[in-house]
Amino acid sequence: MKLDAAAAMDYIGKTVLVELAWDDGEAPIWCCKHIVGVVLPMPGVYEEAFFMTIDGHSYERFPSEIHFSTIRTIRSIWLPDRGPGRTGSPASGEGD
């Protein structure tokens, strides 16, 4: 799958279901992630673009990376507990 900068930016702030696959023959995995940022390639600094993500089922303190080259499938999803006016995380019990 090829993601360009414009398409990648459209995912910021969304929750996605993503299928990750690697070239080494490992079985692909599916995971739910919140996209919080995009890092684009910069010669000599970052050779490959990636998303900055937070797990969809647990709230990590810091974002992790998902490199575009590992993404086989990505789909935006809607989570009912993330409707308009909702704040906080389900884990914290905050919100509404």
Side-chain angles (χ1 to χ4, degrees):
M1 164 171 212
K2 283 285 203 185
L3 282 171
D4 62 17
M9 296 295 199
D10 285 344
Y11 284 107
I12 294 175
K14 295 184 178 170
T15 301
V16 298
L17 184 61
V18 62
E19 179 187 20
L20 304 175
W22 294 267
D23 292 335
D24 62 7
E26 242 182 272
I29 62 167
W30 288 88
C31 51
C32 180
K33 297 284 188 173
H34 302 294
I35 306 294
V36 296
V38 174
V39 175
L40 299 175
M42 178 182 231
V45 180
Y46 293 110
E47 300 303 321
E48 187 180 349
F50 57 90
F51 285 118
M52 297 301 297
T53 69
I54 300 289
D55 261 356
H57 60 82
S58 65
Y59 289 83
E60 303 164 315
R61 187 171 176 168
F62 300 105
S64 56
E65 303 168 3
I66 293 183
H67 290 264
F68 290 5
S69 64
T70 63
I71 299 172
R72 182 184 286 174
T73 308
I74 186 168
R75 298 284 185 261
S76 293
I77 60 173
W78 176 78
L79 297 175
D81 66 336
R82 294 280 179 245
R86 299 283 307 220
T87 59
S89 71
S92 70
E94 298 172 350
D96 283 340

